[in-house]
Amino acid sequence: MTRILDLNHLTLDHVRVLESVIDEIKPDFHALIKSLYDRTDRSIFWMVNSLVSRSNYSSDLFQDLCGLELARQTAAAGAVDRIIVRSPGQKKVLDAYFRYHQIPIPVRCPGALTSTLGRVGKPIYDVLRNIQWSLAYLKQKNKHRRQAVPVNRSLILIDTFFSAYIFKSGEFKDRYYTGLLDHLTPEQEAHVFFVPNVISWRRIGRMVRIAEGAREKFIYFFDFLKLKDYLFALSAPFAIRRIPLGHYRFRGMPIGPVLKADFRKHIAQRSAFRGILFFCFFKRLKQAGISLHLVVDWFENQMVDRGFNKGKNIFFPDTPSIGYQGLIAAYKWHFQVQPTQAEARAGVIPQTMAVIGSGLKTIARQYHPGLDVMVAPGLRFSDIHKLPVKEPDQFSDTAPVILVALPIWVEDSLEILGLLFHVLDLIREKQAKVRIKPHPSLDFDAVQSAMPSWPRKFTLIEGDFADTVQTADLLISSGSTVCMEAIAYGIPVIVIGSRTSVTKNIIPETVPKQIWDLCYTGDEFSLALNRLCFDLTRADRQAFARLAQQVRTDFFHPVSEHNVRQMLKLDFLAPDQPRPFIQPAAPATDLEAN
């Protein structure tokens, strides 16, 4: 039988090898990124380029390299007769490597023509979309809002987002800094302005109008930008100074083709475009005489973050900045949220990282041991310290409730439901109730259309997660912070691992497996259900309660007046202290005025 490695449709055995490959190649990958940084001119165009982003949202590079290394290792072990790759670039790399080492393994790339057309067409589409975004932003520019921004006091700027979901209820509902202003005095609150990253261009005007009625005060970057700033950002794909990429090797493989393909495909990406606009925004703030006390970036280290932080670091170098990570990430795959020393030297990260628990500090420093990291309140998770840990007597022995939190990705949601179908007989035998809670942004219609039937045991529910999870005896999910929230309430968790790609597990390795498990197969799932739900003793549930308290301490810093004010460095303005007059920033130099 022909043994095939298909990088588009991995088997579970290949997935397990891939999981180890990811960790194995990261040091070499970071060395590659540093080498790329060293060859660039360090312009803003390069600082927001996909090749150095390390983001699997914005770049195919790391995924391509993982696939190439998986293929190389599988071929070296003599465990494959044919390889199917994801892209023409991967095929060129493997063909050259196998030819040099005289390895007679054919490499195929189905859909190569489609892939090539997409790679050529995407930059053109992105440029046109960026022009469309520019026109939408220009249309919303308002000089009266700009002139209303105070220049007689030092401001705290907080990066946030405007999306359709945030305005779904017809009002602005902050999902990122929940309750932050409630912990400030009116005098302190007067210094705080939110800077929205508007990611839904079709309804910008509506969102801005609704936001006018919100408690929060906003500064819009498009109120400060000039036409030349948009032209500057739009010129990036053409003005960026190219560097030679053909000579690079990775683990013995000539990777020039995948480097070139990634550079071309993502050269005009929207996140990079907005990053350049935020870079220009800080220049215009400086020219307008705005004084800044602190800048807070919602830090996911995406390309837009890099432009935001580069602009702040260039034009307001003496202003402190914080990269607030109000989340717990799937660090294995989304490791771009862990800054590197190369990024610090490039000036594309904030001065200080703020994580929401002391147990995350070491994780944040993994690739930059000298990184300044502070612990800040977990604003999105304030309910965790308001609600009690589930007591042993509150679990059900006769009709346990299984809460299934479907993640945002359709494929991952289908994998979870597929394993649930596998254990339906066990669920019926134990008389368990299954409640399905889809992620608000999940395309649930696509999920339902892919399901052959919907068991009567499955009940769809809505509502706040903190209220819902209190009634559950077990949580099943994947790639979502609800897994850590559930553990903090004393609810055991089963994470469903992907059978076809990388598992996005957000539970840190330091959390004991006593209260959670990771399952790939139906048999593993059945064992975990029995261990974490159906066969529990009172002693097990008491242990869950103790672990929950430890998780709260390590990963969810409480929200309080002291902790919020400490994060925002509000010592300069005590609650009863009169507002100081701040001398406006010096006028821009001729160079800065360009």
Side-chain angles (χ1 to χ4, degrees):
M1 188 174 88
T2 302
R3 297 166 300 174
I4 299 174
L5 169 62
D6 187 347
L7 297 182
N8 300 287
H9 305 284
L10 295 175
T11 66
L12 181 55
D13 288 339
H14 288 144
V15 167
R16 294 185 190 275
V17 177
L18 177 63
E19 294 281 356
S20 64
V21 163
I22 289 171
D23 294 326
E24 186 181 332
I25 73 169
K26 279 181 184 176
D28 294 333
F29 178 69
H30 284 136
L32 169 66
I33 299 301
K34 179 183 179 301
S35 176
L36 291 170
Y37 266 119
D38 291 342
R39 281 185 166 267
T40 72
D41 59 4
R42 302 296 177 103
S43 68
I44 184 58
F45 297 156
W46 265 111
M47 295 302 98
V48 298
N49 187 266
S50 69
L51 275 186
V52 295
S53 71
R54 299 191 304 125
S55 171
N56 291 313
Y57 287 120
S58 307
S59 169
D60 303 316
L61 179 58
F62 185 72
Q63 187 172 359
D64 280 345
L65 294 180
C66 286
L68 290 172
E69 179 61 13
L70 175 61
R72 189 189 71 81
Q73 290 187 12
T74 307
V80 65
D81 300 312
R82 187 171 70 196
I83 297 174
I84 300 173
V85 296
R86 298 174 61 246
S87 67
Q90 283 184 320
K91 175 174 168 52
K92 290 178 183 178
V93 172
L94 288 177
D95 281 343
Y97 179 79
F98 289 160
R99 186 166 55 248
Y100 180 81
H101 290 279
Q102 299 181 342
I103 299 174
I105 297 178
V107 181
R108 291 184 54 239
C109 180
L113 178 60
T114 302
S115 176
T116 300
L117 291 174
R119 191 174 67 252
V120 172
K122 184 179 183 301
I124 298 173
Y125 172 80
D126 286 343
V127 167
L128 294 175
R129 287 278 292 185
N130 291 339
I131 293 173
Q132 194 173 32
W133 275 95
S134 299
L135 295 174
Y137 289 147
L138 283 165
K139 183 179 179 181
Q140 294 302 319
K141 184 173 181 177
N142 186 309
K143 69 176 182 179
H144 300 295
R145 284 197 304 258
R146 184 183 70 247
Q147 292 169 351
V149 175
V151 295
N152 64 342
R153 62 178 179 268
S154 198
L155 307 183
I156 297 172
L157 298 189
I158 301 180
D159 168 48
T160 191
F161 298 87
F162 273 12
S163 66
Y165 177 72
I166 288 176
F167 292 89
K168 186 177 180 180
S169 64
E171 61 182 4
F172 174 75
K173 188 175 181 180
D174 183 21
R175 293 186 64 245
Y176 298 91
Y177 306 92
T178 311
L180 179 141
L181 297 181
D182 294 337
H183 296 87
L184 305 181
T185 67
E187 190 67 30
Q188 291 168 335
E189 186 177 332
H191 292 258
V192 176
F193 285 79
F194 291 85
V195 180
N197 179 0
V198 183
I199 55 178
S200 181
W201 69 271
R202 291 184 182 276
R203 298 183 177 181
I204 296 180
R206 175 180 176 271
M207 290 187 288
V208 171
R209 286 193 298 273
I210 293 175
E212 288 176 352
R215 174 182 177 181
E216 292 85 351
K217 300 183 297 298
F218 298 98
I219 294 179
Y220 298 96
F221 67 88
F222 42 76
D223 286 343
F224 286 81
L225 295 183
K226 300 181 179 181
L227 176 61
K228 64 174 65 175
D229 297 322
Y230 294 101
L231 296 177
F232 176 70
L234 290 168
S235 75
F238 316 100
I240 188 171
R241 186 173 298 176
R242 268 66 170 172
I243 61 174
L245 299 171
H247 69 284
Y248 279 94
R249 304 185 74 82
F250 188 82
R251 300 200 148 210
M253 295 176 285
I255 60 167
V258 295
L259 291 174
K260 293 176 183 178
D262 197 85
F263 178 83
R264 293 166 182 160
K265 180 179 177 181
H266 301 295
I267 189 66
Q269 199 166 112
R270 187 179 64 185
S271 179
F273 173 71
R274 289 203 305 263
I276 298 170
L277 292 183
F278 273 113
F279 175 84
C280 296
F281 166 67
F282 279 100
K283 180 171 73 170
R284 300 305 176 195
L285 284 182
K286 176 75 175 294
Q287 293 173 353
I290 305 297
S291 296
L292 301 182
H293 169 68
L294 176 70
V295 175
V296 179
D297 175 33
W298 179 270
F299 186 72
E300 297 180 13
N301 210 9
Q302 302 294 345
M303 293 189 288
V304 64
D305 293 302
R306 292 159 180 265
F308 184 96
N309 291 309
K310 186 69 174 177
K312 179 265 146 198
N313 290 335
I314 289 290
F315 300 106
F316 292 87
D318 298 326
T319 298
S321 60
I322 291 174
Y324 179 67
Q325 284 191 351
L327 49 81
I328 301 174
Y331 298 102
K332 186 183 185 77
W333 188 241
H334 298 307
F335 56 93
Q336 87 281 349
V337 301
Q338 301 162 283
T340 65
Q341 292 174 313
E343 289 166 348
R345 286 192 292 270
V348 295
I349 64 172
Q351 295 171 358
T352 301
M353 284 288 298
V355 294
I356 60 172
S358 58
L360 299 170
K361 293 180 72 173
T362 301
I363 295 174
R365 292 191 178 112
Q366 183 169 352
Y367 307 120
H368 184 0
L371 184 68
D372 184 25
V373 183
M374 66 178 290
V375 179
L379 294 164
R380 294 173 77 175
F381 308 102
S382 59
D383 285 342
I384 285 176
H385 292 280
K386 296 176 183 176
L387 298 173
V389 170
K390 190 160 187 169
E391 296 295 333
D393 293 337
Q394 295 175 312
F395 286 82
S396 173
D397 290 317
T398 56
V401 174
I402 298 174
L403 175 61
V404 182
L406 297 181
I408 193 172
W409 304 282
V410 171
E411 184 176 351
D412 289 0
S413 296
L414 289 174
E415 286 190 311
I416 292 173
L417 293 172
L419 277 191
L420 276 172
F421 273 50
H422 183 87
V423 297
L424 267 180
D425 289 342
L426 178 61
I427 289 173
R428 292 191 183 103
E429 176 190 335
K430 300 296 184 179
Q431 297 184 336
K433 303 172 184 176
V434 179
R435 296 174 179 170
I436 308 289
K437 189 178 191 314
H439 188 282
S441 299
L442 170 67
D443 184 357
F444 192 65
D445 289 338
V447 172
Q448 285 188 304
S449 65
M451 300 294 294
S453 61
W454 195 257
R456 285 181 296 177
K457 279 281 182 183
F458 293 4
T459 304
L460 279 175
I461 61 170
E462 297 180 348
D464 182 72
F465 177 79
D467 296 330
T468 304
V469 76
Q470 292 288 310
T471 65
D473 297 289
L474 174 74
L475 175 78
I476 298 172
S477 191
S478 174
S480 172
T481 52
V482 298
C483 296
M484 284 295 285
E485 289 181 74
I487 292 175
Y489 291 120
I491 312 296
V493 171
I494 296 177
V495 176
I496 302 301
S498 175
R499 297 169 59 87
T500 58
S501 61
V502 179
T503 297
K504 302 170 185 69
N505 176 26
I506 64 98
I507 302 177
E509 294 178 356
T510 54
V511 178
K513 277 287 194 79
Q514 185 177 0
I515 196 171
W516 71 281
D517 210 341
L518 173 62
C519 301
Y520 292 92
T521 67
D523 290 342
E524 292 174 350
F525 193 25
S526 296
L527 289 172
L529 280 171
N530 284 320
R531 181 176 74 84
L532 293 171
C533 186
F534 300 143
D535 296 340
L536 288 177
T537 65
R538 181 176 179 82
D540 292 330
R541 291 163 178 163
Q542 289 172 335
F544 292 167
R546 290 193 296 270
L547 288 171
Q549 294 292 358
Q550 190 60 51
V551 164
R552 291 182 179 211
T553 300
D554 292 345
F555 297 100
F556 297 101
H557 197 49
V559 179
S560 66
E561 289 185 2
H562 173 268
N563 291 341
V564 169
R565 294 172 185 179
Q566 185 179 55
M567 181 182 83
L568 298 182
K569 301 183 183 297
L570 284 169
D571 293 342
F572 83 110
L573 187 62
D576 297 323
Q577 180 181 337
R579 183 180 69 195
F581 177 82
I582 302 296
Q583 184 67 33
T589 64
D590 291 340
L591 178 62
E592 292 168 339
N594 290 332

